[in-house]
Amino acid sequence: MIRIKLPTHKHSLYPSPWVNRCDGCPWRGGYCKDGYRCYECVLFFHKACAETALQIHHPSHREHPLSLVFNWTGVKRSHEHQLNLIPRKISFDCDACGTAGDRSPYSCQQCDFMIHQSCTDLPEIINVNRHEHRLYRRLHLSPGSWVCGYCHQEIDWSYGAYSCSICPDYAIHSKCAIRYDVWEKLELKGIPEETQEIEPFKVIDENLICHFSHEEHFLQLNEESIVVSRGSIRCEACVLPIYHHQAFYSCVQCNFILHKTCANLARKKRHFYHDKPLTLICVGGLDCCCRMCGKFVEGFTYTDFQFLSIDVKCGTLSESIIHESHPCTLYYNKMKSRKCASCNHSGYGLFSCDDCSFAIDIKCVVLPKTTQHWYDEHLLFLCYEKNKRGEYWCDICEEQIDTMTWLYTCDDCCVTFHTKCVLGDFSRFMPGQIVTFGMWTIKVMQTSPGFLPRCYICHTQRALPFVLKVFYPQKVVFFCSLECLFSTRDDLYQMHKSIFN
C-alpha cells in the first residue's frame, strides 16, 4: 500500500494497518486490517473503499455509467466556522457529546467550540431502538431539565445531544445514541421518512375486522364476559388462555381466536433488545425459541428475518416497565449483573431499579399474573412476597418451595405451587396441534387427572399441564420437559434409524 489521492478530497491518504471506521461507507463493526487515513482531517477509509473505481457500469442502469460520489457530513461540516486541529494534550469538555477529553480536539477560536476527533462524524439524523421516531442531532438542547432516554442520567442541555421533533421531552446523550446496540448504523439525512404505518387489520364494520394473519375469514369482536374452562380457548398470537375479563376476536367460520390486545399488535416496531426494526409474523412452530426469555413458543413472533426472533409477550415489553412487585420504575440494563428477585438467578440483561438492588430477569417479568391448572378449580395468582414465614410445599411435585422465590397460590384453598410446576415447559404451545420439530412428529397434549403419561426419560408421572407426544410408526413416547426431550436426541435418532432401516 502506498500514499494515494482521492479526486474528491484535497489531502493525501496514507496507509494505516488498522482502521476502526470508514468515512466512505456506513459500516461500524470494529477494527479492520489495512486502510487509509487523512492525518489533517482525521478521516479513515477501508482499503476497498479508498481504492474503489470512480466509474462503474451496472446492469440495473445500462444507459449510463455510475460515478462515485463522496458525500461526507459531520460536525466539522455543519459548524458555521472552520475547525482547526490542536495536536497536543489539552483538557476540554466536548461540545458535541458533553464528555471530557484530554488531547487533540478540533477547535473553533471564534466560538470557543471544541470537540473530540471521534465526534466529527456524528450522524445528523438517526433511529434508535429506544424510540419510535427519528432523532436529530442538536448543538445544544433548550434550557431545562433533561434525562437521557438510554442511561436515564441527566443531560446537560448546553452540550450537544439528540432529540425528537415529535416528542418534546425526549432526548438522548450523543454517546448513548450511537452505541452499537442502540443505533442501527444508518445516517438518515436525505432519506425520506416512512410515515405510513402498516395496520394489522382492516375494519369491516363496527364488530368485524379482517386481520393480516387470517385474511381468509373475518373476525368478530366479543367483549362479553365468558368463562373459559381450563384454558381451553387460547389466543393464536400469544398462545395464552383467554379469561372471562378479556375481550377477543373470534373467526366467524373457524376456531381462530385473538385477544383484542394481540389483534392490535403493531406490524413493525423498534425494540430495545435489537438495533434493527422488527416485523410481526404469524409463522410459528415448536422450533422457534425466543431470544429474550429463552422459551420455545408457538404463535406470532417479532423478527429481523436474520438472527433474532422474540415472542409477542417479550416483543411488547418496553425499555422501562412498571411491575406489581416493586413500587419504582424498572429499566432494562444489560451492562450490570444482578440477582433476580423472582428466581434468585444472577445474570445480565435484567430489569432493575435505579435506586436499589431490586431486579427481575426477562423470563420472570413475563410470568402470567394469573393462570389455571387442573389441579385446582380456582384461578392461581402469582405471589411476590419474600421471606415468607413457615414452610411452603408445592402440591404438584410435593417438594419444598424456597420462600425467597415467587410462587403461585390459591387463596381459596390455601395451597402453593412452584411456577415451573404450574406452567411447565410447554405452556406456550397450542394443545392438540401436530407439528414437525426437527426429525420428530410431535403433538402437544394437555394432561388431566385421568391422563398422566409416564415420561420416556425420567419415568415420572408429574401433574404438569402439558406433555409432548412423539410419534413413530411402531412406537409412541411422551416427554414431560424440554430437558428430557433434548437429553435423548441420540437415543431417539438411533430408535428412528432402527425403525426406518
Side-chain angles (χ1 to χ4, degrees):
M1 294 173 62
I2 59 175
R3 183 179 64 178
I4 64 173
K5 190 79 166 60
L6 293 180
T8 53
H9 190 62
K10 62 182 179 180
H11 305 131
S12 296
L13 302 183
Y14 293 85
S16 177
W18 297 93
V19 293
N20 67 345
R21 72 173 193 268
C22 178
D23 292 292
C25 72
W27 185 84
R28 295 289 188 275
Y31 281 89
C32 277
K33 187 175 176 59
D34 293 334
Y36 290 94
R37 69 172 295 175
C38 172
Y39 283 94
E40 296 188 55
C41 300
V42 199
L43 297 181
F44 294 86
F45 298 91
H46 295 129
K47 183 176 185 294
C49 294
E51 297 176 355
T52 189
L54 298 181
Q55 280 194 343
I56 62 170
H57 293 273
H58 198 272
S60 65
H61 189 70
R62 299 180 184 277
E63 294 85 359
H64 311 109
L66 302 180
S67 298
L68 179 66
V69 177
F70 184 67
N71 183 24
W72 179 78
T73 60
V75 175
K76 286 174 64 181
R77 295 292 176 90
S78 63
H79 192 71
E80 57 183 325
H81 307 128
Q82 181 176 342
L83 300 182
N84 298 306
L85 180 65
I86 304 177
R88 65 173 183 269
K89 288 186 177 182
I90 179 174
S91 297
F92 67 99
D93 290 329
C94 176
D95 285 287
C97 68
T99 61
D102 61 0
R103 68 190 64 210
S104 303
Y106 274 95
S107 173
C108 174
Q109 302 301 324
Q110 295 174 259
C111 304
D112 194 25
F113 179 86
M114 303 181 80
I115 60 171
H116 295 114
Q117 293 185 36
S118 60
C119 290
T120 58
D121 60 350
L122 287 174
E124 298 272 339
I125 306 172
I126 62 173
N127 272 323
V128 297
N129 60 6
R130 297 307 204 267
H131 197 67
E132 288 295 325
H133 309 129
R134 287 185 171 191
L135 302 183
Y136 296 81
R137 184 174 57 79
R138 314 293 186 187
L139 295 179
H140 59 80
L141 301 173
S142 59
S145 178
W146 294 86
V147 176
C148 176
Y150 173 78
C151 69
H152 314 295
Q153 302 300 311
E154 182 183 0
I155 301 176
D156 188 330
W157 64 267
S158 63
Y159 292 105
Y162 286 88
S163 67
C164 178
S165 61
I166 299 175
C167 306
D169 297 327
Y170 189 87
I172 186 170
H173 287 120
S174 297
K175 291 296 188 182
C176 293
I178 60 171
R179 282 178 55 93
Y180 73 95
D181 55 346
V182 175
W183 177 39
E184 63 177 333
K185 291 85 179 173
L186 181 64
E187 164 67 86
L188 299 178
K189 186 175 183 179
I191 300 177
E193 187 170 8
E194 296 180 9
T195 56
Q196 186 175 4
E197 294 186 3
I198 304 175
E199 297 295 336
F201 57 78
K202 296 178 182 178
V203 177
I204 306 302
D205 62 28
E206 185 178 356
N207 291 315
L208 283 180
I209 64 170
C210 180
H211 199 269
F212 84 94
S213 65
H214 197 69
E215 294 180 334
E216 58 270 30
H217 304 140
F218 294 154
L219 304 182
Q220 185 173 23
L221 179 62
N222 187 326
E223 293 185 295
E224 298 177 0
S225 295
I226 63 169
V227 178
V228 177
S229 176
R230 302 299 171 211
S232 59
I233 301 178
R234 288 180 171 256
C235 172
E236 296 283 342
C238 65
V239 202
L240 292 174
I242 297 175
Y243 294 116
H244 67 279
H245 60 281
Q246 297 172 319
F248 63 92
Y249 284 98
S250 59
C251 180
V252 296
Q253 298 186 43
C254 65
N255 295 325
F256 189 91
I257 293 179
L258 294 174
H259 285 113
K260 184 180 179 181
T261 53
C262 292
N264 284 277
L265 290 172
R267 294 286 301 277
K268 285 190 174 183
K269 69 177 302 178
R270 296 192 176 275
H271 197 275
F272 66 87
Y273 200 74
H274 196 48
D275 60 337
K276 300 293 190 298
L278 302 179
T279 302
L280 182 67
I281 60 173
C282 52
V283 180
L286 294 184
D287 57 348
C288 177
C289 181
C290 174
R291 284 284 296 274
M292 285 187 67
C293 66
K295 290 283 188 180
F296 283 86
V297 295
E298 283 191 272
F300 297 1
T301 57
Y302 280 101
T303 179
D304 65 351
F305 297 105
Q306 290 182 308
F307 312 108
L308 184 86
S309 289
I310 58 178
D311 65 54
V312 295
K313 292 293 291 182
C314 294
T316 52
L317 290 174
S318 62
E319 182 261 347
S320 61
I321 63 171
I322 302 294
H323 199 272
E324 296 174 356
S325 61
H326 195 68
C328 304
T329 301
L330 304 179
Y331 298 97
Y332 179 72
N333 190 333
K334 65 181 297 183
M335 305 306 295
K336 293 183 180 180
S337 177
R338 298 285 185 91
K339 179 182 286 189
C340 175
S342 169
C343 62
N344 283 335
H345 292 161
S346 297
Y348 294 88
L350 280 71
F351 286 89
S352 60
C353 178
D354 285 347
D355 298 324
C356 68
S357 61
F358 185 88
I360 321 173
D361 64 26
I362 293 174
K363 71 178 187 302
C364 295
V365 165
V366 297
L367 286 174
K369 308 298 185 293
T370 60
T371 188
Q372 282 185 305
H373 191 286
W374 56 258
Y375 200 91
D376 193 286
E377 63 180 341
H378 306 109
L379 277 178
L380 305 180
F381 293 89
L382 188 60
C383 177
Y384 311 120
E385 182 185 352
K386 306 192 74 168
N387 293 317
K388 311 170 190 69
R389 293 182 178 180
E391 294 183 349
Y392 289 78
W393 296 80
C394 175
D395 272 42
I396 293 177
C397 69
E398 298 182 350
E399 294 181 2
Q400 192 168 3
I401 300 175
D402 183 354
T403 57
M404 294 298 292
T405 62
W406 293 357
L407 52 83
Y408 280 105
T409 180
C410 173
D411 294 335
D412 296 305
C413 302
C414 297
V415 293
T416 53
F417 308 93
H418 289 118
T419 57
K420 63 180 181 180
C421 292
V422 170
L423 301 175
D425 286 343
F426 311 124
S427 61
R428 300 297 300 279
F429 297 161
M430 191 66 75
Q433 290 189 1
I434 298 177
V435 296
T436 300
F437 184 47
M439 66 180 181
W440 308 317
T441 300
I442 289 177
K443 185 176 183 180
V444 181
M445 304 287 291
Q446 191 163 7
T447 61
S448 67
F451 177 68
L452 281 178
R454 191 176 298 277
C455 179
Y456 177 71
I457 297 300
C458 65
H459 309 295
T460 60
Q461 288 181 289
R462 294 192 291 168
L464 297 170
F466 302 99
V467 293
L468 292 187
K469 184 178 183 180
V470 180
F471 294 89
Y472 288 93
Q474 300 175 13
K475 190 171 185 178
V476 174
V477 296
F478 293 91
F479 296 93
C480 68
S481 66
L482 286 172
E483 181 181 0
C484 289
L485 178 66
F486 293 145
S487 69
T488 185
R489 280 183 171 179
D490 293 337
D491 294 341
L492 284 178
Y493 178 70
Q494 294 301 325
M495 184 174 74
H496 185 274
K497 285 179 61 178
S498 67
I499 290 173
F500 288 100
N501 290 341

Coordinates of all heavy atoms in Angstrom, one line a residue, residues 130-178:
R130 N -34.7 2.7 21.2 CA -35.4 3.1 22.4 C -36.6 4.1 22.1 O -37.3 4.5 23.0 CB -34.5 3.8 23.3 CG -33.3 3.0 23.9 CD -33.8 1.7 24.6 NE -32.9 1.2 25.6 CZ -32.0 0.3 25.3 NH1 -31.8 -0.2 24.1 NH2 -31.2 -0.2 26.3
H131 N -36.7 4.4 20.8 CA -37.7 5.4 20.5 C -38.3 5.2 19.1 O -37.5 4.7 18.2 CB -37.1 6.8 20.5 CG -38.1 8.0 20.6 ND1 -38.9 8.1 21.7 CD2 -38.4 8.9 19.7 CE1 -39.7 9.2 21.5 NE2 -39.4 9.7 20.3
E132 N -39.5 5.5 18.9 CA -40.2 5.2 17.6 C -39.9 6.2 16.5 O -40.0 5.9 15.3 CB -41.7 5.1 17.8 CG -42.2 3.8 18.5 CD -41.9 2.5 17.7 OE1 -42.0 2.6 16.5 OE2 -41.6 1.5 18.4
H133 N -39.6 7.4 16.9 CA -39.4 8.5 15.9 C -37.9 8.7 15.6 O -37.0 8.3 16.4 CB -40.1 9.8 16.4 CG -41.5 9.6 16.8 ND1 -41.9 10.0 18.0 CD2 -42.5 9.0 16.2 CE1 -43.2 9.7 18.1 NE2 -43.6 9.1 17.1
R134 N -37.7 9.4 14.5 CA -36.3 9.9 14.2 C -35.8 10.9 15.2 O -36.6 11.7 15.8 CB -36.3 10.5 12.8 CG -36.4 9.5 11.7 CD -36.2 10.2 10.3 NE -36.2 9.2 9.2 CZ -35.8 9.5 8.0 NH1 -35.5 10.8 7.7 NH2 -35.8 8.6 7.1
L135 N -34.5 10.8 15.5 CA -33.8 11.8 16.4 C -32.9 12.6 15.6 O -32.2 12.2 14.6 CB -33.1 11.0 17.5 CG -33.9 10.1 18.4 CD1 -33.0 9.5 19.4 CD2 -35.1 10.8 19.0
Y136 N -32.8 13.9 15.9 CA -32.0 14.9 15.2 C -30.9 15.4 16.1 O -31.1 15.7 17.3 CB -32.8 16.1 14.8 CG -33.9 15.7 13.8 CD1 -35.1 15.1 14.2 CD2 -33.7 15.8 12.4 CE1 -36.1 14.7 13.3 CE2 -34.7 15.5 11.5 CZ -35.8 14.9 11.9 OH -36.8 14.5 11.0
R137 N -29.7 15.5 15.6 CA -28.5 16.0 16.4 C -28.7 17.5 16.6 O -28.9 18.3 15.7 CB -27.2 15.7 15.6 CG -26.0 16.1 16.4 CD -24.7 15.7 15.8 NE -24.6 16.2 14.4 CZ -24.2 17.5 14.1 NH1 -24.0 18.3 15.1 NH2 -24.1 17.9 12.9
R138 N -28.6 17.9 17.9 CA -28.7 19.3 18.2 C -27.3 19.8 18.8 O -26.7 19.0 19.5 CB -29.7 19.5 19.3 CG -31.0 18.8 19.0 CD -31.8 19.4 17.8 NE -33.1 18.7 17.7 CZ -33.9 19.0 16.6 NH1 -33.5 19.8 15.7 NH2 -35.1 18.4 16.6
L139 N -26.9 21.0 18.4 CA -25.7 21.5 19.0 C -25.9 21.8 20.5 O -24.9 21.7 21.3 CB -25.3 22.8 18.3 CG -24.9 22.7 16.8 CD1 -24.6 24.0 16.2 CD2 -23.8 21.7 16.7
H140 N -27.1 22.0 20.9 CA -27.5 22.1 22.3 C -29.0 22.0 22.4 O -29.7 22.2 21.5 CB -27.0 23.4 23.0 CG -27.5 24.6 22.4 ND1 -28.8 25.1 22.6 CD2 -27.0 25.5 21.5 CE1 -29.0 26.2 21.9 NE2 -27.9 26.5 21.2
L141 N -29.4 21.6 23.6 CA -30.9 21.5 23.8 C -31.4 22.8 24.4 O -30.7 23.7 24.7 CB -31.1 20.3 24.9 CG -30.7 18.9 24.4 CD1 -30.9 18.0 25.6 CD2 -31.4 18.4 23.2
S142 N -32.7 22.9 24.5 CA -33.3 24.1 25.1 C -33.1 24.0 26.6 O -33.0 23.0 27.2 CB -34.8 24.2 24.8 OG -35.5 23.0 25.3
P143 N -32.9 25.2 27.2 CA -32.7 25.2 28.7 C -33.8 24.5 29.5 O -34.9 24.6 29.2 CB -32.7 26.7 29.0 CG -32.3 27.4 27.8 CD -32.9 26.6 26.7
G144 N -33.3 23.7 30.4 CA -34.3 22.9 31.2 C -33.7 21.6 31.8 O -32.4 21.4 31.7
S145 N -34.5 20.8 32.4 CA -34.0 19.5 32.9 C -34.3 18.4 31.9 O -35.4 18.2 31.5 CB -34.8 19.2 34.2 OG -34.4 18.0 34.8
W146 N -33.2 17.7 31.5 CA -33.3 16.6 30.5 C -32.8 15.3 31.1 O -31.8 15.4 31.8 CB -32.6 17.0 29.3 CG -33.1 18.2 28.5 CD1 -32.9 19.5 28.8 CD2 -34.1 18.1 27.5 NE1 -33.6 20.3 27.9 CE2 -34.3 19.5 27.1 CE3 -34.7 17.1 26.8 CZ2 -35.2 19.8 26.0 CZ3 -35.6 17.4 25.7 CH2 -35.8 18.8 25.4
V147 N -33.4 14.2 30.8 CA -32.9 12.9 31.2 C -32.7 12.0 30.0 O -33.6 12.0 29.1 CB -33.9 12.2 32.2 CG1 -33.5 10.8 32.5 CG2 -34.1 13.0 33.4
C148 N -31.6 11.4 29.9 CA -31.3 10.5 28.7 C -32.2 9.4 28.6 O -32.5 8.6 29.6 CB -29.8 10.1 28.8 SG -29.3 8.9 27.5
G149 N -32.7 9.1 27.4 CA -33.6 8.0 27.1 C -32.9 6.7 27.2 O -33.6 5.6 27.1
Y150 N -31.6 6.6 27.3 CA -30.9 5.3 27.4 C -30.4 5.1 28.8 O -30.7 4.1 29.4 CB -29.8 5.3 26.4 CG -28.9 4.0 26.5 CD1 -29.4 2.8 26.0 CD2 -27.7 4.0 27.2 CE1 -28.6 1.6 26.2 CE2 -27.0 2.9 27.4 CZ -27.4 1.7 26.9 OH -26.7 0.6 27.1
C151 N -29.5 5.9 29.3 CA -28.9 5.7 30.6 C -29.6 6.3 31.7 O -29.3 6.0 32.9 CB -27.5 6.2 30.5 SG -27.3 8.0 30.5
H152 N -30.7 7.1 31.5 CA -31.5 7.7 32.5 C -30.7 8.7 33.4 O -31.2 9.0 34.5 CB -32.2 6.6 33.3 CG -32.8 5.6 32.5 ND1 -33.8 5.8 31.6 CD2 -32.5 4.2 32.4 CE1 -34.1 4.6 31.0 NE2 -33.4 3.7 31.4
Q153 N -29.6 9.1 32.9 CA -28.8 10.1 33.7 C -29.1 11.5 33.1 O -29.7 11.6 32.0 CB -27.3 9.8 33.6 CG -26.9 8.4 34.1 CD -27.3 8.3 35.6 OE1 -27.0 9.1 36.4 NE2 -27.9 7.1 35.9
E154 N -28.8 12.5 33.8 CA -29.1 13.9 33.4 C -28.3 14.3 32.2 O -27.1 13.9 32.0 CB -28.7 14.9 34.6 CG -29.0 16.3 34.2 CD -28.6 17.2 35.4 OE1 -28.1 16.8 36.4 OE2 -28.8 18.5 35.2
I155 N -28.9 15.0 31.3 CA -28.2 15.6 30.1 C -28.0 17.1 30.4 O -29.0 17.8 30.7 CB -29.1 15.4 28.8 CG1 -29.3 13.9 28.6 CG2 -28.3 16.0 27.6 CD1 -30.2 13.7 27.4
D156 N -26.8 17.5 30.2 CA -26.5 19.0 30.3 C -27.0 19.6 29.0 O -26.5 19.4 28.0 CB -25.0 19.2 30.5 CG -24.7 20.7 30.8 OD1 -25.4 21.5 30.4 OD2 -23.7 20.9 31.5
W157 N -28.0 20.5 29.1 CA -28.6 21.0 27.9 C -27.7 21.9 27.1 O -28.0 22.1 25.9 CB -29.9 21.8 28.3 CG -29.6 23.0 29.1 CD1 -29.6 23.1 30.5 CD2 -29.3 24.3 28.6 NE1 -29.3 24.4 30.9 CE2 -29.1 25.2 29.8 CE3 -29.1 24.9 27.4 CZ2 -28.7 26.5 29.7 CZ3 -28.8 26.2 27.2 CH2 -28.6 27.0 28.4
S158 N -26.6 22.4 27.7 CA -25.8 23.3 27.0 C -24.8 22.5 26.0 O -24.1 23.2 25.2 CB -25.0 24.1 28.0 OG -24.1 23.3 28.8
Y159 N -24.8 21.2 26.1 CA -23.9 20.4 25.2 C -24.8 19.7 24.1 O -26.0 19.7 24.2 CB -23.1 19.4 25.9 CG -22.1 20.0 26.8 CD1 -22.3 20.0 28.2 CD2 -20.9 20.5 26.3 CE1 -21.3 20.6 29.0 CE2 -19.9 21.0 27.1 CZ -20.1 21.1 28.5 OH -19.2 21.6 29.3
G160 N -24.1 19.2 23.1 CA -24.8 18.5 22.0 C -25.5 17.2 22.5 O -25.1 16.6 23.4
A161 N -26.6 16.9 21.8 CA -27.4 15.7 22.1 C -28.3 15.4 21.0 O -28.4 16.2 20.0 CB -28.2 15.8 23.4
Y162 N -29.1 14.3 21.1 CA -30.1 14.0 20.0 C -31.5 14.2 20.7 O -31.7 13.8 21.9 CB -29.9 12.6 19.5 CG -28.7 12.4 18.6 CD1 -27.5 12.1 19.1 CD2 -28.9 12.6 17.2 CE1 -26.4 12.0 18.2 CE2 -27.8 12.4 16.4 CZ -26.6 12.1 16.9 OH -25.5 12.0 16.0
S163 N -32.4 14.7 19.9 CA -33.7 14.9 20.5 C -34.8 14.6 19.4 O -34.4 14.6 18.2 CB -33.9 16.3 21.0 OG -33.9 17.3 20.0
C164 N -36.0 14.4 19.8 CA -37.1 14.1 18.9 C -37.9 15.4 18.6 O -38.2 16.1 19.5 CB -38.0 13.0 19.6 SG -39.4 12.6 18.6
S165 N -38.2 15.6 17.3 CA -39.0 16.7 16.9 C -40.5 16.5 17.2 O -41.3 17.5 17.2 CB -38.8 17.0 15.5 OG -39.2 16.0 14.7
I166 N -40.9 15.3 17.5 CA -42.3 15.0 17.7 C -42.6 14.9 19.2 O -43.6 15.5 19.7 CB -42.7 13.7 17.0 CG1 -42.5 13.8 15.5 CG2 -44.2 13.3 17.4 CD1 -42.8 12.5 14.8
C167 N -41.7 14.3 20.0 CA -41.9 14.2 21.4 C -41.0 15.2 22.1 O -39.7 15.1 22.1 CB -41.5 12.8 21.9 SG -42.4 11.5 21.0
P168 N -41.5 16.3 22.6 CA -40.7 17.5 23.0 C -39.8 17.2 24.2 O -38.9 17.9 24.5 CB -41.8 18.5 23.4 CG -43.0 17.8 23.6 CD -43.0 16.6 22.7
D169 N -40.2 16.1 25.0 CA -39.4 15.8 26.2 C -38.4 14.7 26.0 O -37.7 14.3 27.0 CB -40.3 15.4 27.3 CG -41.3 16.5 27.7 OD1 -40.9 17.7 27.6 OD2 -42.4 16.3 28.1
Y170 N -38.2 14.2 24.8 CA -37.3 13.0 24.6 C -36.0 13.5 24.1 O -35.9 14.2 23.0 CB -37.9 12.0 23.7 CG -37.1 10.7 23.7 CD1 -37.3 9.7 24.6 CD2 -36.1 10.5 22.8 CE1 -36.6 8.5 24.6 CE2 -35.3 9.4 22.8 CZ -35.5 8.4 23.7 OH -34.8 7.2 23.7
A171 N -34.9 13.1 24.8 CA -33.5 13.3 24.3 C -32.6 12.2 24.8 O -33.0 11.4 25.7 CB -33.0 14.7 24.8
I172 N -31.5 12.1 24.2 CA -30.5 11.1 24.5 C -29.1 11.6 24.3 O -28.8 12.4 23.4 CB -30.8 9.8 23.6 CG1 -29.9 8.6 24.0 CG2 -30.6 10.1 22.1 CD1 -30.3 7.3 23.3
H173 N -28.2 11.2 25.2 CA -26.8 11.6 25.1 C -26.3 11.2 23.7 O -26.6 10.2 23.1 CB -25.9 10.9 26.1 CG -26.1 11.5 27.5 ND1 -26.5 10.7 28.5 CD2 -25.9 12.7 28.0 CE1 -26.6 11.4 29.6 NE2 -26.2 12.6 29.4
S174 N -25.3 12.0 23.1 CA -24.7 11.7 21.8 C -24.0 10.4 21.9 O -24.2 9.6 20.9 CB -23.8 12.8 21.5 OG -24.4 14.1 21.3
K175 N -23.3 10.1 22.9 CA -22.6 8.8 23.0 C -23.5 7.6 23.2 O -23.3 6.6 22.7 CB -21.5 8.9 24.2 CG -20.4 9.8 23.9 CD -19.5 9.4 22.7 CE -18.3 10.2 22.6 NZ -17.4 9.8 21.5
C176 N -24.6 7.9 23.9 CA -25.6 6.8 24.1 C -26.3 6.5 22.8 O -26.6 5.4 22.5 CB -26.6 7.2 25.2 SG -25.9 7.3 26.9
A177 N -26.6 7.5 22.1 CA -27.4 7.4 20.8 C -26.7 6.5 19.8 O -27.3 5.8 19.0 CB -27.7 8.7 20.2
I178 N -25.3 6.6 19.7 CA -24.6 5.8 18.7 C -24.0 4.6 19.2 O -23.1 4.0 18.6 CB -23.5 6.7 18.0 CG1 -22.5 7.2 19.1 CG2 -24.2 7.9 17.3 CD1 -21.3 7.9 18.4

